[in-house]
Amino acid sequence: CTKFLEEEPASFLTTDQYYKTEEQIHAAANGTYDGLNMPFASEITLAASPVYALEYITGYSRRPRPTGGDDDQFLLLQNIQNSNGRFETWWNATYIPIENCNSFIANVSQTSVVNEETKNRFLGEVYFLRAYYYFRAVRLFGSIPLKTEPTLNLDNIQIGKSPIEEIYNQIVSDLQFAENAGLPWTDKSGRVNLAAVKSLLAEVYITMAGYPLQKGANYYQMAYDKSMEVINAGEYSLFASYADLRDPAKNNSGEHILMNQRDQKNATSIIHFHFMPYPEPSKPVSVIPNMGGSMAPTTAFYDSYAADDLRKQEKQFFFKVSNTPFIYKFWDDEAEQTSRSGANFPLMRYADVLLLGAEAKTMVDGGTTQDAAALDAYYSVHKRAFPSSKRPSSISTDDVLKERYWELCFELHTWFDMIRTRKAFDVENDRIVSLIGFKAPNHNRAFEEKDLLWLIPLAEIQANPNLK
Amino acid sequence: QGITLVARQALLSDIFASIEKQSDYTFFYNDQLLDKISKVDVNIKDARVDDALKTILQHLSLDYQIKGQTIFITEKKQVSTDHLQQFRVQGKVLDEEGKPLPGASVKLRGSAKGTVTNAEGAFTIEASSGDVLLVSYIGYTEKELVLTDSSQLTITLATASNSLDQIVVVGYGTSRKANLSTAVGSVKGEELLERPTAQNLLQGMAGKIAGVNISLNSGKPGGNPAIKIRGTGSINGSNTPLYVIDGIVGADPTTIDPAIIQSVDVLKDASSAAIYGSRGANGVVVITTKNGDPNTAQIAFDNTLSFGSLPRELDLLDANESLEMFKRQYEYVPGRLAPHLDPDNAFKRKDDLFNSDGTPKYQVNWQREATRVAVSHQHALTFSGGKDNIKVLANISYRNNQGIMLNSYYKQLNGFLNLDWDVKSWLNIKANINAGGYQSNNIDNNTLGLNPLRETLEYLPFLPVQYADGTYSRKGDYPGAENSENPVKLLNEVKNVTGRSQSLGNLMATFHLTDKLDFNTSVSGQLSSGYTHYYGGRTVYDVGENQQGVAQRAHTDFGSWTTENYFSYNQSWDKHHLNAVAGASWYYYVTSTDQAGAEGFFDDYFQDNNLGTGTTPQIPSSGKTENQLNSYFARANYNFDDRYLLGASFRVDGSSRFGKHNKYGFFPSFSAAWRISQESFFKDMNTGINDLKLRASYGIVGNAEIGDYVTLNRYNNGQAVFNNNYESAVTLAGLGNPDLRWEKAKQLNVGLDLSLFQGRLLLTADAYNKRNDDLLYLRKLPVTTGYTNVFDNIGSIENKGIELGVNAVTMKKGDFTWSTGYNFSLNRSKVIDINNDVIYPWFGRIIAGGPLNEFFGYERLGVWGTGEAEEAAQYGKKPGDIKYQDTNGNGAKDADDRVNLGNAMPKWEMNMTNTFSYKGFSLFVDLQGAYGNHVISLARVLMVNPGPNINSFKSILDAWTPEHQNTMLGQLRVNSDGFDNEGGDSFNVEDASFLRIRNVGFSYQFNKDWLQKIKLNSLVFGVNVENAALFTGYSGYDPEVTSFDAALNQGVDVYQYPKPRTISFSLKTSF
């Protein structure tokens, strides 16, 4: 009767049936992109999502709609605990997709189902994504387990932490594989492309140069060189207007190097409706006004923009309701027609790469630079905000950092900039200051050393005491 | 072994006695009949009883007839020439096991004539055609039948409830309750009908058996009650019992008409359930349907008409009070004015809603607008009867139940056929067919969203249902409020119809291989097809408006077949009785699902009936799963002299759901009982005790209800978006655990059965300790594995409890009888080990060392007062903010401050029914009580907090003000001013102890003599009030509630459908 009791599932595949065709490999590669969207798709409640924690912690944003404990810990920098569910979401959004990558790499590296060229291209995408997930996590959590082989059974599953440097080395090596995997410079469909690989490598180098590894000038130089490779390739350019950033027709091209891919019908985005003003104005600004209030700039941050900064003008990066600024940067016109937002969320922009290159060069040159390429990079971003401004003859690191705050705000970059530079933007006094000791506008207290790393979630420590 | 008789000139009575010795048959005859017969010669060797009798009687003026185990000897019928009015009726009275009942009373109605059955249960009485024979016996239900001729009668009396002579179905066989060594609770069919508005079997069973907790958690029509036998034992496996209907394992109990149920037996302890080893971990509910009676052809027609209404309205704010609340909320910031008072705020509907002084134009009671008097009716037509060797029962039932919320309903049509046929002396066939369907409109879908039940409470009382221009109001018409749809519009314009059609068939053959050995084989099949039809209209806010109409259709088809095959063996010698069963079964189950939907309709006309009309199709989905079970089982029961009872059963079960190496599990059980009252020393003691039995049992049962395929490594097949195009995407979904094995529930039970005062008082008491080990548990994994959890056998949960059941004829004086049924149960759960995990169900916590169903959260101390400003500031609070206990004293409010806040399961519960009858009148009162249970109401969490932007309870006006500081409610403010709302804090967890008059019934049975004149057999008229009164301190509608699974989330009230109070009129007739 053993035959009678055998299970033969019909609606899903099991692992021993897989990696037999090119189509299966393709589908599995697509599956490894899942981690880009995971934080946006997990634990969504009314106007709340774990993604905003990454901005709440900077202290430059506020949450118009009242909330409970977990978000308040970041919003107020108060009493942060490892039981906070936001940590768990970001942790899971790291290791679940990494397992998909590990499994893909282990299986496809050995396959002969596809030719070497195709195989390398798929592997390149997946190596890039594994590096992306580890890079995100190592910056958030510091020393974490490094796992590059798939889990096959329940033996030895409680692995310990690896040194931060070891994780960076893995990231660099994965990215270097991707760099040589034959990926195209651009990909309109939104897949990983060579520019994304090199841009990420530039960001990895500049982060390694700064905190916590402090590898210094060499790495700043490498970061500068990598960004220059992207810039000099000429495949990407800044959009002429900020509105283009929101134009779905311009997705995955122009200024957008890598985006989180969404679609209006079935893969909707939470961002547009979550950023609606709250309390709901008596005259609604949106077809769905009651989902808003998740995040808005603090007045202090909004006021830090110069009056003539184009980004500050109404309906560029912000809009005002009852004299209170709200975020307009991700406004989705189509969503207002269809009640569903299918807008992509930018993960890597060309403006980011330009500023990264410029910043790296200032660091190489001791705090200010007159390097023409660096000046061009900085100036192209600055000029879009201030069309009548003149090209400066030199720029300082602080100039570039401030520009990053203004240009990249609420795109989930700011916190990473703050911890790798250990600097903050004192918006009230218009100056870059040391992060430790700085009290951000929305926080109850100043940053301390312990705030710089997120806590390994309690649930994970309970399941793996080695992570205590 | 046949009959062997060699004799010369023997008396017939001696010959018959000799046959009785050699077989299980007993003879029944009139002595005078035999007196006329001369002595006879016989020479018979190894003949069948039938053949032996033919030979003996062939030349005599006698005839014979075999009915069951009884042989009737009668005069050979001559071609009748006489038309005598009077004739002689001979008969035999048997119990349900076919054993004779001596001393039963046999009377003719309306006549002084009567007799009593003899030691063989036999009687003779003179009667004439049309007379009604009444047969009664203490502890049994009275039976009556109309006499037509002098044919031999075999009358089987059914036991009244809870008599020790009651026959209990124990799975693959039956047992007399007196001889049970295990814990089995029983309900008779008629008890299930005591409350005529009970909509299904489980509702009818509620409160009838100690230790079987049936929570009627919702008042929606057809609402499915939750059943828990001896507590919750599993965390991730199922906690529902196994249902067996007429031997069909795994049948659905909710669709069968309670009117055709003979009895329900609940196998509570592991020893009784172990014969269904694999799936018995949560108890087994064995349902037996009625059979026809071969003596009488009967038609029964039962009708109930009922009127349900909302029994009590919650104490919500009226229009003026609601506006007062908003006024105070806005005044939290000095000088800020509420929209209706602010001359600068000229919102759209201001003039429609308010007078110039800010007073409201409308006063609407939404609880009244959204509810109605629900008119329901149900009918059952039952034909029963039989002839010779065939018994038949056919039933058709229809119920049309309206809910008290507008447009909610449940309709069901069901047909049932039960056939029992002694085809040959060696073959019996039983066949069941049950087919039907139901449909209901579920207005309570979208539990956590803005559904009509929620809006009925939260909607503002100063908004009209419709404005003068005919448009429905919306909550956002008042700018201070959260926007949402009007509950009346939601009820009228959202359709969520679910239904199912099903058919179930069973064919069982019993071969009498020898006098002692039977072989049973059955094949049964079930098919059912469920569906959901959904449409949210184009103008319904938050439901269909944004998408211009949303339509969905979903189907789920189930199919299953089972075959059960077993031998049963009965042997008696001297004082020894042995009963044994052994067999095997196979079970197969398949489900397939599909769903499709569309959005963007240009007209509401089509609803879900033409998905192609929608401009935006939703991604369709479908699925299929199968599972199989294969089992071998054996059981033996040994009885010595009705004094010592021993039982043992063994079952081996294989499930497809487990890993390669662990498909099979072994489930043994043992039981023993001592009937002290049968001992001669006890009889000598003259205690007044009629029956006393001590029982003990121990057994292991299993649980495999974890879903299919969890031991396989699984991929999830979905889609990924690339530049608005979809591509297939495959991700890892689950890590299989090939070592997964059965969850085991080990249970020790000790009990006693006691009968006093000639059976007028019966008491059953049980104590148990049930421990579930190797839990089928979703073990949390380090996420670095890539998976969050995996099914593993980890952990233990313990349930201990005491059960007490009492049945008493409290008073009997002349025609007046007062009988009482009482049961009490107490259960304590304890989590022994769950891998050091901490699980947080709704507002609760599960942790090793604690009980299940425990609420967990902050202790609310009150509100920070004006004198405590400095201390409050330490916590980032100010006077007027809610003050929580700083349990760990670290000067901050954090997760470690949370404490246990009470348990959702009662400390104890009890049920009591009292029946008073006098002649044709009877009065019935059913009480239900629970003590020490707690409930959390989401309505209170969301509506009674410092800043609701919705309507609230009257109690909110007690909120903190500088002049009124001694309160639990923080200062009112608008939502965006910010405040703590912890949800499950001590203020919101309420004591929900309650006492309910569950039912009061009055019925009148018309005089039978009079009825006979109009050719009716019986006519009973009844009036009942279901849910007649409720005494509780709980602020919501009903403390017997959950909106989620009852196993781990009992007592979480998320805007649950209120239970109606229903007045019903019933008319039952048979002819």
Side-chain angles (χ1 to χ4, degrees), chain A residues 148-217:
Chain A
T148 53
E149 297 293 327
T151 305
L152 298 176
N153 52 49
L154 295 175
D155 302 335
N156 307 319
I157 53 174
Q158 296 185 340
I159 53 176
K161 297 179 189 177
S162 294
I164 293 175
E165 184 150 9
E166 210 174 291
I167 295 162
Y168 272 99
N169 291 342
Q170 183 68 45
I171 292 166
V172 171
S173 125
D174 282 357
L175 288 174
Q176 283 169 344
F177 182 101
E179 211 177 2
N180 299 307
L183 295 171
W185 269 103
T186 62
D187 188 323
K188 179 66 183 165
S189 72
R191 303 186 82 87
V192 171
N193 53 67
L194 189 57
V197 177
K198 288 183 185 292
S199 303
L200 189 65
L201 206 43
E203 196 178 359
V204 168
Y205 287 147
I206 202 170
T207 306
M208 291 173 83
Y211 292 91
L213 293 179
Q214 289 182 276
K215 287 185 166 292

Side-chain angles (χ1 to χ4, degrees), chain A residues 98-114:
Chain A
I98 283 174
E99 180 67 13
N100 280 304
C101 296
N102 288 342
S103 172
F104 182 92
I105 291 167
N107 281 289
V108 175
S109 297
Q110 297 165 4
T111 194
S112 52
V113 170
V114 289

Side-chain angles (χ1 to χ4, degrees), chain A residues 154, chain B residues 737 740 774-779 790-794:
Chain A
L154 295 175
Chain B
N737 177 0
L740 196 69
D774 290 350
L775 293 185
L776 288 170
Y777 178 68
L778 265 179
R779 168 186 166 190
V790 67
F791 262 109
D792 205 346
N793 294 96
I794 288 185

Side-chain angles (χ1 to χ4, degrees), chain B residues 410-429:
Chain B
Y410 179 91
K411 297 173 188 175
Q412 180 179 313
L413 178 66
N414 210 53
F416 177 80
L417 188 69
N418 186 346
L419 175 78
D420 184 320
W421 182 15
D422 286 315
V423 185
K424 300 280 179 191
S425 62
W426 48 269
L427 175 65
N428 172 274
I429 294 279

Side-chain angles (χ1 to χ4, degrees), chain A residues 30 66 100 151 263 339-340 460, chain B residues 599 726 728 732 783 785 975:
Chain A
N30 290 346
N100 280 304
T151 305
D263 167 74
S339 308
R340 288 186 167 191
E460 187 72 4
Chain B
E599 300 169 3
Y726 287 87
S728 300
L732 295 163
V783 181
T785 57
N975 200 282

Side-chain angles (χ1 to χ4, degrees), chain A residues 320-377:
Chain A
K320 280 188 148 186
V321 174
S322 319
N323 216 26
T324 309
F326 290 93
I327 300 168
Y328 194 81
K329 204 174 189 179
F330 310 103
W331 183 273
D332 180 356
D333 272 328
E334 286 187 15
E336 290 300 322
Q337 307 298 315
T338 60
S339 308
R340 288 186 167 191
S341 174
N344 286 357
F345 190 85
L347 299 174
M348 294 167 98
R349 276 207 280 139
Y350 187 57
D352 181 9
V353 180
L354 289 168
L355 292 175
L356 245 158
E359 182 195 339
K361 190 63 183 162
T362 64
M363 291 303 286
V364 171
D365 293 355
T368 53
T369 187
Q370 291 162 351
D371 175 74
L375 287 175
D376 283 344

Side-chain angles (χ1 to χ4, degrees), chain B residues 105-169:
Chain B
S105 145
V106 180
K107 286 193 288 196
L108 290 182
R109 193 159 67 210
S111 136
K113 235 182 251 178
T115 181
V116 173
T117 53
N118 66 13
E120 278 85 44
F123 68 90
T124 313
I125 198 166
E126 299 287 331
S128 48
S129 186
D131 277 351
V132 177
L133 193 70
L134 296 175
V135 185
S136 59
Y137 192 75
I138 287 178
Y140 291 78
T141 317
E142 186 182 70
K143 189 145 188 178
E144 51 181 61
L145 47 127
V146 182
L147 300 171
T148 48
D149 57 41
S150 61
S151 66
Q152 291 287 356
L153 297 175
T154 303
I155 295 155
T156 304
L157 290 189
T159 42
S161 54
N162 280 312
S163 149
L164 284 178
D165 288 317
Q166 186 178 344
I167 299 305
V168 174
V169 183

Side-chain angles (χ1 to χ4, degrees), chain B residues 663-725:
Chain B
K663 292 217 184 275
Y664 285 90
F666 175 59
F667 306 99
S669 88
F670 308 93
S671 64
W674 180 26
R675 290 183 71 187
I676 304 176
S677 53
Q678 298 297 100
E679 299 284 0
S680 50
F681 70 82
F682 191 89
K683 286 177 179 161
D684 297 342
M685 279 160 51
N686 258 332
T687 50
I689 293 174
N690 306 96
D691 210 308
L692 173 61
K693 179 174 62 177
L694 299 179
R695 294 181 269 114
S697 71
Y698 179 79
I700 301 176
V701 273
N703 190 348
E705 295 305 307
I706 40 169
D708 302 328
Y709 311 124
V710 301
T711 60
L712 303 177
N713 291 315
R714 307 176 302 282
Y715 280 115
N716 182 39
N717 315 298
Q719 303 202 340
V721 183
F722 289 101
N723 202 31
N724 297 334
N725 293 316

